[in-house]
């Protein structure tokens, strides 16, 4: 069973600050996803990265997939209270149908 | 609503009773996943099913838990003789299963409370 490690586990910052969270594994993934989950709701997909070295931007969020497709990072610029939530990474092996999640980074952005 | 539908959203059971959680995947999706989440924790994989087949149940406890995804109807996660430690949020996700880059679409979860 592949292991996805996310860091930091908890992060509390002030509105306007920048932050980066990480997702690391010893396994190579065919694709990797980032999800955001708010309290009382299910995770919602933010992005999928497939190609090693790939960078995707979603407004103030920048996602990067490592060259070796073993790790990924999520950078948020000028964080806002609305960014508060649990950020989960998930990796797929073998036909992209074997999905495992990291434990998540719980982000709190204070106004 | 074409999204993943889970019911019930909240379920309360006494120790020893049975809990049945249902999940209807998105239209056109043939793959269903069940995950369990404890408060302040991430998602723990339980089982992965395709229509009428269990593909991977490595995350399912060996006793009391079972899952099915029949040809017709929703996927069901069944927990027999519930104990307090079964209290958690159970999330279902679906994917199309073919030409897929791995994205999962989640329901809003079923929150089980065992008294």
């Amino acid at each position: 069973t592949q292991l996805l490690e996310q860091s930091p586990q908890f992060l509390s910052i002030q509105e306007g600050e920048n932050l980066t969270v990480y997702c690391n594994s010893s396994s190579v993934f065919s694709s990797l996803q980032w999800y955001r989950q708010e309290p009382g709701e299910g995770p919602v997909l933010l992005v999928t990265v497939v190609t090693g070295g790939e960078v995707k931007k979603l407004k103030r969020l920048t996602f990067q997939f490592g060259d070796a497709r073993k790790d990924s990072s999520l950078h948020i610029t000028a964080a806002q209270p609305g960014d508060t939530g649990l950020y989960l990474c998930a990796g797929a092996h073998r036909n992209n149908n074997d999905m495992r999640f990291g434990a998540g980074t719980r982000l709190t952005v204070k106004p | 609503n074409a999204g993943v539908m889970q019911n019930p959203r909240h379920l309360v059971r006494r120790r020893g009773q049975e809990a049945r959680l249902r999940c209807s995947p998105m239209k056109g999706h043939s793959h269903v996943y069940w995950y369990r989440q404890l408060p302040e924790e991430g998602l723990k994989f339980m089982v992965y099913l395709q229509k009428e087949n269990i593909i991977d149940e490595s995350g399912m406890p060996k006793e009391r838990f079972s899952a099915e995804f029949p040809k017709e109807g929703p996927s069901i996660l069944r927990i027999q003789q519930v104990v307090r430690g079964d209290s958690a949020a159970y999330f279902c996700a679906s994917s199309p299963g073919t030409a897929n880059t791995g994205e999962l679409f989640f329901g809003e979860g079923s929150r089980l409370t065992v008294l």
Side-chain angles (χ1 to χ4, degrees):
Chain A
T1 302
Q2 68 274 23
L3 183 64
L4 279 161
E5 294 186 354
Q6 290 192 244
S7 62
Q9 187 177 357
F10 298 95
L11 185 58
S12 181
I13 61 171
Q14 292 294 134
E15 182 176 2
E17 293 183 1
N18 301 332
L19 67 114
T20 302
V21 299
Y22 301 92
C23 175
N24 295 294
S25 175
S26 57
S27 301
V28 176
F29 294 102
S30 56
S31 69
L32 191 143
Q33 289 78 40
W34 284 93
Y35 293 80
R36 179 165 162 262
Q37 184 182 22
E38 297 191 35
E41 299 183 6
V44 176
L45 179 70
L46 296 174
V47 77
T48 296
V49 286
V50 179
T51 305
E54 182 176 5
V55 176
K56 283 191 173 180
K57 292 192 174 183
L58 184 66
K59 296 183 180 178
R60 293 176 294 100
L61 278 60
T62 302
F63 305 85
Q64 185 161 10
F65 201 14
D67 291 339
R69 292 187 290 136
K70 293 183 178 180
D71 54 84
S72 181
S73 63
L74 159 59
H75 181 79
I76 302 179
T77 303
Q80 298 176 1
D83 296 327
T84 293
L86 178 66
Y87 289 82
L88 297 158
C89 69
H93 292 194
R94 303 199 315 261
N95 303 318
N96 292 313
N97 286 318
D98 185 15
M99 297 293 297
R100 295 293 187 271
F101 281 77
T105 291
R106 197 165 296 276
L107 173 65
T108 301
V109 182
K110 301 176 184 177
Chain B
N1 188 341
V4 177
M5 302 299 293
Q6 289 190 248
N7 70 83
R9 289 292 309 276
H10 300 275
L11 182 63
V12 179
R13 286 287 180 264
R14 296 190 181 278
R15 282 180 296 172
Q17 292 184 319
E18 178 179 287
R20 284 194 179 214
L21 310 177
R22 296 173 188 78
C23 170
S24 295
M26 284 183 70
K27 186 177 181 181
H29 285 192
S30 59
H31 293 228
V32 164
Y33 302 75
W34 284 94
Y35 292 85
R36 171 187 160 116
Q37 187 176 40
L38 293 172
E40 305 299 313
E41 295 187 8
L43 295 170
K44 182 179 177 185
F45 169 79
M46 297 183 73
V47 63
Y48 161 42
L49 311 102
Q50 296 177 21
K51 284 284 188 181
E52 300 184 275
N53 288 304
I54 296 174
I55 306 303
D56 182 350
E57 57 181 347
S58 59
M60 289 274 276
K62 299 253 185 277
E63 298 178 349
R64 303 188 298 109
F65 285 70
S66 61
E68 62 177 7
F69 189 15
K71 185 177 181 181
E72 301 292 337
S75 175
I76 295 175
L77 179 66
R78 182 185 179 200
I79 310 172
Q80 296 178 287
Q81 299 175 338
V82 296
V83 300
R84 288 207 175 122
D86 296 333
S87 295
Y90 292 86
F91 287 94
C92 169
S94 72
S95 73
T98 55
N100 178 34
T101 55
E103 296 99 325
L104 296 180
F105 297 85
F106 281 86
E108 294 188 314
S110 291
R111 281 148 189 83
L112 172 65
T113 301
V114 180
L115 302 178

